């Protein structure tokens, strides 16, 4: 049988990517209409749907190539030629970096070779993403020469052509100006001759909000800003907050939040603009938060392999209480943890590996409301054996032998989840000062309430399953026991039939699958007097079935609480929007 030419194979792979990005853009562009229609469930469903699109297109391309290619077509010389032809096709492409990642995804499946041992993938970018022309442009520029800063802001609000009006645009502009004056103080208003405002051309949609991102260019200095657009109680638009603090803006791009929906003809242009605004965020972070999580994974892999070349510390077991389901290890010099599902689980864990994988997939697709860590999922990760601590190796051999393969030089992890490393909440509270400990307990309670509003019941609520971010925010990261709130039945413990039965410690009432008794939380969570005092002062309702059942009923009625990823103190007119939940941190 004749093999197709290298050019034909390259064209087939690029056609698969082009189809993927066309469908990706079509899906993402629907966010504007859903926002205008206040279809909040539609936005959530769109985020979940978009996540699975990439793997579907990769599999389609793999199936086509397997029909064309046979074993004799997979020689090293042929596949090297395919890559060269593919690179030539990417000249003047609008998304070359994404197309290279797609090539990697397809080729590793077709070639059936280990990722780390494959010389025919894009280990480094081959096509530059600098100065790619975009139509429409990546950002628009507004000049205050004639209309002043207020006129500029009015033009910016009109730029996005929303089909519903702003209720009070003049008041919105006045609020933005006042927030800028509060932030910049004596440096406001800016006076340089070249003063102008750059704004990304597309709005960013997530949950019930749209976001406008831009920079004020004043001489040689650039100041980032973000405007949060929401619906008021009458369904018209209003600016809920104007953020000028880079840390507050960065929190919008937290790894614990759902991905944005953004219509981007040239995504690298958006990433470059955002990196300029927020240098504390990496390219990988930004691609992931823009919904291009495969590109985020590819960049992470490059950073990880480069870090291994420039470091010499060893992979060790992560500090903290050992889990019953996962073995967790880390490289101290690298800010991530690696989580491997064990072969055998601890007591009371009556489920299997696939059950755990489905829970992590649930979180990937779900709105994480700033309270659940995102994960990167990898297969066949090679670790240099000389860099693996012996205690770590012994645990993997004993508890997850099916998940490792050892060669003379490498320990290959067959399946692993990778998350940003957080300090376990139980360890944080052990060493925290009284005020820090109290703040952690309060935010832990808010985390539970916000997860409940997002239809997530954590299951195992022990402090060891939560972590503390550098901004003092409590994040949940252990997902093997999570359930949808709507699948749980929150009950009061019925009175004992007699005092002897109550004292016996035996359960005197029937317990069915999905039953949860919030009264039982206290012994596990409130053993320390200082913790109990703070918790009961701020969150005693979490120990009642009424609280949880009330949240469940709102969800069943299709009512979605508001989640504001910025402090209540920066909101302009909170009384004019539906009651909701806010970020309780100061940054």
């Amino acid at each position: 049988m004749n093999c197709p030419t290298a050019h034909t194979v390259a064209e087939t792979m690029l056609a698969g990517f082009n189809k993927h990005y066309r469908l990706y853009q079509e899906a993402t562009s629907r966010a504007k209409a859903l926002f205008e229609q206040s279809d909040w469930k539609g936005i959530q469903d769109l985020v979940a749907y978009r996540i699975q699109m990439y793997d579907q297109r990769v599999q389609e391309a793999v199936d086509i190539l397997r029909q064309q290619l046979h074993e004799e077509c997979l020689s090293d010389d042929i596949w090297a030629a395919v890559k060269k032809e593919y690179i030539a096709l990417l000249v003047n492409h609008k998304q070359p970096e994404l197309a290279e990642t797609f090539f990697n995804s397809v080729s590793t499946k077709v070639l059936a070779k280990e990722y780390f041992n494959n010389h025919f993938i894009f280990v480094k970018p081959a096509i530059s993403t600098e100065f790619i022309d975009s139509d429409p442009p990546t950002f628009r520029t507004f000049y205050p020469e004639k209309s002043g800063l207020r006129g500029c802001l009015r033009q910016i609000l009109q730029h996005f052509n929303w089909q519903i009006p702003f209720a009070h645009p003049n008041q919105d502009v006045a609020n933005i100006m006042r927030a800028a004056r509060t932030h910049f103080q004596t440096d406001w208003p800016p006076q340089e001759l070249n003063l102008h405002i750059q704004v990304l051309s597309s709005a960013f949609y997530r949950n019930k909000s749209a976001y406008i991102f831009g920079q004020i260019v004043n001489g040689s200095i650039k100041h980032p800003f973000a405007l949060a657009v929401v619906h008021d109680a009458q369904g018209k638009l209003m600016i809920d907050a104007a953020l000028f603090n880079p840390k507050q803006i960065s929190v919008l791009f937290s790894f614990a939040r759902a991905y944005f929906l953004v219509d981007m003809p040239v995504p690298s242009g958006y990433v470059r603009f955002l990196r300029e605004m927020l240098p504390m965020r990496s390219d990988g972070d930004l691609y992931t938060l823009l919904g291009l999580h495969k590109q985020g994974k590819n960049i992470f892999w490059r950073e990880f392999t480069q870090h291994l070349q420039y470091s010499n510390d060893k992979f060790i077991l992560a500090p903290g209480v050992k889990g019953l389901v996962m073995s967790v290890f880390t490289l101290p010099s690298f800010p991530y943890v690696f989580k491997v599902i064990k072969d055998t689980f601890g007591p009371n864990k009556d489920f299997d590996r696939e059950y755990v994988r489905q829970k992590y997939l649930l979180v990937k697709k779900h709105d994480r409301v700033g309270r659940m860590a995102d994960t990167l999922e990898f297969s066949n990760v090679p670790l240099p054996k000389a860099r693996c601590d012996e205690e770590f190796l012994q645990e993997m051999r004993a508890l997850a032998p099916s998940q490792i393969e050892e060669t003379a030089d490498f320990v290959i992890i067959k399946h692993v989840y990778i998350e940003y490393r957080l300090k376990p909440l139980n360890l944080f509270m052990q060493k925290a000062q009284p005020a820090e400990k109290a703040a952690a307990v309060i935010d832990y309670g808010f985390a539970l309430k916000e997860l409940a509003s997002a239809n997530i019941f954590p299951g195992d609520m022990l402090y060891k399953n939560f972590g503390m971010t550098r901004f003092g925010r409590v994040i949940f990261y252990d997902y093997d026991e999570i359930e949808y709130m709507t699948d749980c039945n929150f009950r009061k413990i019925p009175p004992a039939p007699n005092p002897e039965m109550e004292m016996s410690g035996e359960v005197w009432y029937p317990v069915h699958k999905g039953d949860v008794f919030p009264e039982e939380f206290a012994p596990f969570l409130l053993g320390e007097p200082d913790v109990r005092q703070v918790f009961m002062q701020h969150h005693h309702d979490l120990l009642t079935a009424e609280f949880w059942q009330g949240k469940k009923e709102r969800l069943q009625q299709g009512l979605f609480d508001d989640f504001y990823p910025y402090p209540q103190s920066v909101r302009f007119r909170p009384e004019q929007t539906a009651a909701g939940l806010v970020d309780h941190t100061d940054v």
Side-chain angles (χ1 to χ4, degrees):
M1 172 177 279
N2 292 329
C3 294
T5 65
H7 184 77
T8 300
V9 174
E11 282 188 323
T12 299
M13 296 176 77
L14 187 58
F17 169 75
N18 289 339
K19 178 181 179 181
H20 159 68
Y21 201 74
R22 174 176 57 80
L23 294 175
Y24 172 92
Q25 278 195 285
E26 288 175 1
T28 299
S29 65
R30 296 203 298 269
K32 180 175 182 288
L34 294 172
F35 173 74
E36 293 167 342
Q37 298 160 11
S38 302
D39 187 351
W40 314 130
K41 186 176 187 306
I43 286 179
Q44 290 185 353
D45 290 345
L46 184 57
V47 171
Y49 165 72
R50 195 180 59 174
I51 289 172
Q52 62 192 14
M53 293 176 62
Y54 183 88
D55 289 338
Q56 292 173 347
R57 299 293 85 76
V58 167
Q59 192 57 51
E60 284 181 6
V62 168
D63 292 342
I64 293 171
L65 288 174
R66 282 178 174 160
Q67 293 171 13
Q68 298 176 357
L69 300 173
H70 295 269
E71 189 172 353
E72 64 270 20
C73 305
L74 299 179
S75 70
D76 289 359
D77 290 342
I78 290 176
W79 209 257
V82 169
K83 183 178 176 182
K84 286 184 179 179
E85 292 288 344
Y86 196 82
I87 292 172
L89 292 173
L90 293 182
V91 174
N92 297 324
H93 200 281
K94 300 299 184 184
Q95 307 93 28
E97 78 284 20
L98 308 186
E100 290 175 355
T101 295
F102 190 86
F103 182 96
N104 289 354
S105 299
V106 173
S107 62
T108 51
K109 288 181 178 292
V110 171
L111 294 174
K113 294 183 179 180
E114 301 297 343
Y115 190 107
F116 60 90
N117 212 22
N118 192 324
H119 301 293
F120 310 117
I121 62 174
F122 291 93
V123 178
K124 296 180 180 179
I127 301 293
S128 172
T129 58
E130 296 289 327
F131 309 115
I132 297 178
D133 294 328
S134 177
D135 184 20
T138 296
F139 63 89
R140 300 292 299 272
T141 304
F142 299 85
Y143 295 91
E145 288 181 355
K146 295 181 179 180
S147 58
L149 282 170
R150 292 178 183 271
C152 257
L153 290 171
R154 281 190 287 269
Q155 293 173 35
I156 289 169
L157 298 187
Q158 295 166 3
H159 163 71
F160 298 94
N161 295 317
W162 284 302
Q163 298 305 298
I164 48 178
F166 282 86
H168 305 287
N170 291 335
Q171 183 63 55
D172 288 328
V173 169
N175 287 337
I176 296 168
M177 292 289 286
R178 187 176 67 254
R181 191 176 301 110
T182 299
H183 177 77
F184 294 110
Q185 298 183 354
T186 57
D187 293 331
W188 186 266
Q191 302 293 337
E192 290 288 343
L193 182 64
N194 76 331
L195 175 66
H196 58 279
I197 301 176
Q198 299 173 345
V199 175
L200 284 169
S201 293
S202 296
F204 288 49
Y205 298 94
R206 184 171 65 194
N207 297 333
K208 294 184 177 183
S209 300
Y211 296 90
I212 300 169
F213 290 104
Q215 299 183 107
I216 302 166
V217 181
N218 186 33
S220 60
I221 301 174
K222 296 183 179 182
H223 302 285
F225 69 87
L227 306 179
V229 185
V230 300
H231 290 245
D232 68 10
Q234 285 72 47
K236 294 185 178 180
L237 298 183
M238 61 178 281
I239 301 296
D240 190 60
L243 308 179
F244 297 94
N245 184 330
K247 287 186 177 180
Q248 289 179 342
I249 301 171
S250 179
V251 168
L252 301 179
F253 291 87
S254 164
F255 64 90
R257 299 195 181 278
Y259 306 140
F260 285 108
L261 296 159
V262 194
D263 187 9
M264 304 173 292
V266 179
S268 60
Y270 277 71
V271 169
R272 187 162 54 251
F273 190 99
L274 290 168
R275 266 301 293 278
E276 195 171 87
M277 286 178 58
L278 306 169
M280 68 284 286
R281 291 294 181 200
S282 71
D283 284 359
D285 290 341
L286 294 172
Y287 273 108
T288 297
L289 265 294
L290 292 175
L292 299 165
H293 56 285
K294 295 294 184 180
Q295 185 65 20
K297 281 182 62 175
N298 200 14
I299 293 172
F300 168 88
W301 182 257
R302 290 168 178 165
E303 292 174 347
F304 174 59
T305 53
Q306 184 180 51
H307 181 85
L308 287 177
Q309 293 178 2
Y310 292 97
S311 61
N312 56 21
D313 55 335
K314 290 192 173 186
F315 291 93
I316 62 172
L317 295 175
V321 179
K322 290 184 181 296
L324 300 177
V325 173
M326 294 283 196
S327 283
V328 185
F329 63 96
T330 189
L331 186 66
S333 62
F334 197 59
Y336 294 86
V337 293
F338 302 74
K339 304 170 69 171
V340 179
I341 304 174
K342 296 178 180 178
D343 286 4
T344 303
F345 303 154
N348 302 320
K349 302 288 186 178
D350 55 345
F351 43 76
D352 58 13
R353 181 184 307 279
E354 182 57 28
Y355 177 91
V356 178
R357 294 187 68 163
Q358 289 302 314
K359 294 297 185 183
Y360 275 76
L361 180 60
L362 181 159
V363 173
K364 173 68 72 175
K365 293 181 178 181
H366 200 79
D367 180 7
R368 295 185 293 281
V369 297
R371 294 297 188 177
M372 291 191 288
D374 194 14
T375 57
L376 300 175
E377 186 176 5
F378 280 91
S379 299
N380 297 318
V381 173
L383 307 180
K385 202 166 191 176
R387 301 283 298 276
C388 294
D389 178 74
E390 188 60 29
E391 184 182 5
F392 155 58
L393 282 179
Q394 289 300 330
E395 177 165 316
M396 294 300 297
R397 291 164 181 160
L399 301 180
S402 73
Q403 294 303 297
I404 64 171
E405 178 182 335
E406 296 188 55
T407 68
D409 299 319
F410 290 99
V411 176
I412 303 156
I413 309 295
K414 296 181 181 179
H415 181 255
V416 62
Y417 295 102
I418 303 174
E419 298 174 357
Y420 270 114
R421 186 169 62 229
L422 302 174
K423 189 167 187 69
L425 184 58
N426 61 314
L427 298 184
F428 175 86
M429 290 170 63
Q430 287 174 12
K431 297 183 179 180
Q433 297 297 316
E436 295 174 328
K437 189 174 183 179
V441 172
I442 293 170
D443 200 55
Y444 166 79
F446 282 128
L448 294 180
K449 290 177 177 178
E450 291 167 25
L451 288 171
S453 294
N455 199 18
I456 292 293
F457 178 65
D460 190 343
M461 297 162 62
L462 295 178
Y463 300 128
K464 69 181 181 66
N465 297 321
F466 293 76
M468 180 67 76
T469 73
R470 56 180 172 167
F471 295 134
R473 186 171 179 80
V474 174
I475 302 291
F476 182 53
Y477 53 55
D478 193 333
Y479 305 142
D480 57 85
E481 290 195 18
I482 65 170
E483 299 287 351
Y484 289 120
M485 288 279 295
T486 47
D487 289 340
C488 298
N489 181 31
F490 299 97
R491 297 174 53 193
K492 288 184 177 180
I493 297 177
N498 54 65
E500 291 77 14
M501 183 67 75
E502 186 172 14
M503 297 297 293
S504 71
E506 298 294 328
V507 175
W508 59 85
Y509 46 89
V511 179
H512 305 290
K513 181 176 175 57
D515 282 351
V516 178
F517 299 91
E519 297 162 79
E520 296 179 338
F521 299 164
F524 300 100
L525 302 178
L526 309 181
E528 300 178 49
D530 54 343
V531 170
R532 183 178 186 86
Q533 180 180 358
V534 173
F535 188 94
M536 295 303 291
Q537 180 181 351
H538 294 273
H539 299 301
H540 62 88
D541 51 346
L542 287 170
L543 304 181
T544 67
E546 288 82 0
F547 168 83
W548 296 94
Q549 198 63 24
K551 289 288 186 183
K552 175 182 174 178
E553 290 170 3
R554 280 183 58 81
L555 292 164
Q556 289 173 327
Q557 294 166 18
L559 301 176
F560 293 85
D561 285 331
D562 299 318
F563 295 93
Y564 302 104
Y566 38 80
Q568 176 79 354
S569 59
V570 304
R571 298 185 61 212
F572 294 143
R573 301 190 294 274
E575 73 283 353
Q576 295 190 25
T577 58
L581 301 172
V582 300
D583 189 326
H584 298 277
T585 61
D586 292 327
V587 293

